[in-house]
Amino acid sequence: QMPRAHDGLLREIAIAIAEQRGERGSLVVVGAHHFGSDYNDPLYAAVANIAWSSVLLVEASPLIAATLRTRVRERNPTPRVPPARVIVVNEGVCPSSSPASELPFYTLDTRGLEGLPRWADQVSSFKYQHVQKHTSSMARKSNHSAAFLRTRIVTRAVRCGPLLSLLEAHAIERVGALMIDTEGLDCQIVAAQAWTSPRWCRLRPQGVLLYEKKHCDENSSKLALEALDHSRGCAATLGHAANDATKRAPHGYRRIAANDRENAVFALSD
């Protein structure tokens, strides 16, 4: 069950999706984790019963991606989308325009460990420091020391590439909702997008953009907001109304759920 702290976030996302005009487009979740079964997923409840044209679930962890594929086959987490249109991709998204390549991916091996927080397998990342810092909070909530937990961090080579290239590779023609939860790279990924390039404009993104901001440092947070602020150069652009959840920015773009401490959320429109 979603923590009640997210109730307002879910309401605002649901309203923004309901206000979309025309074709719903695709739901794209970068950092899908156990989509549909994570207790702390801030988006799932608002998007589960939408008739998206397709669903792209991107998960860098090989183990979690395999589990997610099995779950999609056994119980489709988006019942109004045919299972054949729900695609699980074991790949990462990196804040770069360079071609995709295999990079070290760090995850905590939780097998056989009891008493860990239930989010312990959600902190895998291309940033070793991100996984390492979470071992301290895990240690405080379990009977395992941080030093021991750090010995359980394993490295795998995982393909990682630009977000736009990934969408094009899977024939995404229109983005209806985009969620980014990549455990430490979220703001950098948003900042790296050339939102007004012809390639992005052809996708005509609208609806909702959500990215996790709580792991972003001050500089990357600023760069992400600046990238969105300057993305008003084509018919389908992104924008935000700074410091005001209700004030509409030029062209009708607005930031929503501004009081949410963990996520940055924007309502997008043509």
Side-chain angles (χ1 to χ4, degrees), residues 19-77:
E19 290 177 346
Q20 290 187 41
R21 300 184 304 276
E23 179 187 347
R24 285 293 183 199
S26 297
L27 169 64
V28 179
V29 185
V30 179
H33 305 295
H34 302 287
F35 183 73
S37 60
D38 283 334
Y39 82 101
N40 57 347
D41 186 338
L43 184 60
Y44 176 71
V47 302
N49 291 310
I50 304 295
W52 305 104
S53 58
S54 66
V55 177
L56 182 63
L57 304 177
V58 184
E59 174 52 50
S61 166
L63 179 61
I64 294 180
T67 301
L68 184 57
R69 282 197 186 99
T70 299
R71 185 177 185 278
V72 168
R73 284 196 302 267
E74 295 176 348
R75 184 183 178 187
N76 186 354

Side-chain angles (χ1 to χ4, degrees), residues 16-24 174 204 206 269-270:
I17 291 174
E19 290 177 346
Q20 290 187 41
R21 300 184 304 276
E23 179 187 347
R24 285 293 183 199
R174 182 183 180 92
R204 301 175 61 214
Q206 72 165 34
S269 179
D270 282 327

